[in-house]
Amino acid sequence: MQAKGEAVRPDLPEIRTSLPGPRARAVIERDQAVLSPSYTRSYPLVAGRAEGAIVEDVDGNRFLDFSAGIAVVSTGHCHPRVVAAIQKQAARLIHMSGTDFYYENMVRLAERLAATLPGERRVYFGNSGAEAIEAAMKLARYATHRQKFIAFLGAFHGRTLGALSLTASKAVQRRGFGPLIPGVHHVPYPDTYRHGDGAGRASIEAIERLFRTIVPPEEVAAIVVEPVQGEGGYLVPPKGFLEELARIAKAHGILLVFDEVQCGMGRTGKLWAWEHCGVAPDILTSAKGIASGLPLGAMIARADLMQWKPGAQASTFGGNPVAVAAALETLDLLEEGLIDNAARVGAHMMERLAGWPARIASVGDVRGVGLMIAIELVRDRGTKERAQDLRDAVVERVFERGLLVLGAGENAIRLCPPLVITREQADFAMDVLEEACTAVLA
C-alpha cells in the first residue's frame, strides 16, 4: 500500500494530498447528486481499499482506522482468511434462503452461537442489528403475551420503526417518523462521570418508579439494554447494575434483552460484554462485528421462548451462506487470539489515557473496556459543560493527520479499532489524539 522505495511504514498513516484529494472530491460531488441526504459523514473520506487497520483512499492517502467501519470489521479489513472463506463459499453456494430450505453452514453457525450462552438456545438470523432487535421485540411480545418495553435514554438500537421506538440517542433519528410503537418507556442509563457511583441505583429507582406510577410490571414484555452503551457515549455501567436489572426482570417475569450489536464479538475483551458481570440475558442480539463486514444479524434466545410457529418470523437473506462463512471464520479468529488482543491492547490504551483528565483541559473523562473506549470533551472540567464543537474539531484534526475516529453521544470520541490493532498503532493513535485534545483549548 505504498510506492516502491518508500521507507514509510505500511501499518501507519501517510497523507500525500490535501484532504479531500482530487479523486475524492469528484466522488463526493457525484455522491451528493444521487445518494440519500440522510447519510451522516463526519469527514470527506472516500475509501478505495483497506487491509488490517489501514484504509487507503482513492487518492492514495493512507489512514489508521479507529472506527472499524463503525465497530464492524472485527478481524480487520479484508482479513485473508475471511476473504478466502468468502471466495470459497461464493464459488459453491451464494443463496438458497434459509427460511425455506436447509444448508449446513447456517446450522453450524447457529450451533456455535448457541453454545456461547448458558442453557438451551435457538438462533434467528437477519441481515443487521436493527433486524435482530425487531425480531427480539416480536419474540418478547409473542412469548410473554405482553406489549410494553423499557429502554434507556441514549440508547441506539436501529432505525426501523420498532428499533427506533427503543432508540433514544438523537432527536433527528425520530423527528418526522411518528407515531412510533406505543408502550416504550425510557429511563436514564447510568453515567458515573456525571452522576457518580449512585448512577446505577438512580436508574434502577427510575424503573421502580415507572412500575409504581405509569407501567404495571406485569404488562412489560422486556427490558432492552446495551451492556455497554454505544451511540450514547460508550458508557460503561457501574458494577452491579446489570445484576440489578436481572433481579428486577426475574421478579416480574420480564425478559432481559441485551443488545450486543456494537459491544459484542470480542470488542470488550470477552466474546460478549455480559460476560464481564456474569449475567446472561434471556435474549441477545448481535450484528456488526459478527461477519467482519458482511451483512448478518443474529438473535439468540432461550429455546423455551423461541416457540413461535412457522411463518411467524423469517428473512429471505438472513443467514446468507456467504455471510455465514465469513462469520464462522470470524469466530475462529476471535477465539484464536483477537479477543485476547482486544483486552491487552485496550488495557494499554486505557493506561495511557488515565492521566488525561488531570492534565489536558479539554478532557473530562476517559472510560472503556477492551477496544471500546471513549474520550469525553468538556469546556470546563469543573462544570463538565459538554463541548460538542471541541469534539468535532478533534475528529477533524486527527483525520487530517491520518487517523479515523467517530463521535459518540453529545461530546465523546469513540475509539473502536479492529481487534487486530497493534500496540504500535495504538500508541500512534494516542499521540495524535493527545496533541489534538491539547490543541483545541489552547
Side-chain angles (χ1 to χ4, degrees), residues 172-349:
V172 68
Q173 295 162 349
R174 287 172 154 248
R175 186 176 294 123
F177 299 119
L180 301 179
I181 291 177
V184 177
H185 299 268
H186 290 88
V187 297
Y189 193 92
D191 181 344
T192 55
Y193 169 57
R194 296 188 171 277
H195 304 295
D197 294 337
R201 183 65 241 169
S203 293
I204 297 298
E205 289 173 354
I207 295 174
E208 293 171 338
R209 188 160 54 250
L210 274 180
F211 290 164
R212 293 193 305 269
T213 59
I214 300 175
V215 186
E218 64 273 14
E219 295 181 5
V220 177
I223 298 171
V224 184
V225 64
E226 298 161 275
V228 179
Q229 193 173 81
E231 183 81 10
Y234 275 30
L235 299 176
V236 181
K239 185 177 180 180
F241 172 68
L242 295 175
E243 294 91 328
E244 274 293 287
L245 278 187
R247 179 191 63 78
I248 287 177
K250 184 176 181 179
H252 297 288
I254 298 169
L255 299 180
L256 188 60
V257 178
F258 282 177
D259 180 344
E260 295 225 19
V261 168
Q262 186 160 179
C263 63
M265 299 312 295
R267 179 143 300 281
T268 66
K270 294 185 181 292
L271 180 63
W272 303 119
W274 67 262
E275 295 179 65
H276 290 281
C277 70
V279 173
D282 299 298
I283 301 173
L284 181 143
T285 61
S286 177
K288 287 192 181 291
I290 194 172
S292 294
L294 268 65
L296 182 67
M299 187 263 287
I300 310 166
R302 284 177 15 215
D304 62 299
L305 298 176
M306 201 180 290
Q307 298 297 323
W308 43 19
K309 303 300 181 183
Q313 179 70 10
S315 168
T316 299
F317 295 102
N320 169 270
V322 181
V324 166
L328 286 166
E329 196 63 46
T330 295
L331 276 173
D332 286 345
L333 288 162
L334 294 179
E335 292 169 357
E336 290 169 17
L338 292 188
I339 295 174
D340 291 340
N341 190 64
R344 185 170 53 252
V345 178
H348 170 67
M349 290 170 61

Side-chain angles (χ1 to χ4, degrees), residues 24-37:
R25 285 197 300 272
V27 173
I28 291 168
E29 289 176 4
R30 291 166 56 201
D31 177 287
Q32 291 174 343
V34 294
L35 268 293
S36 170

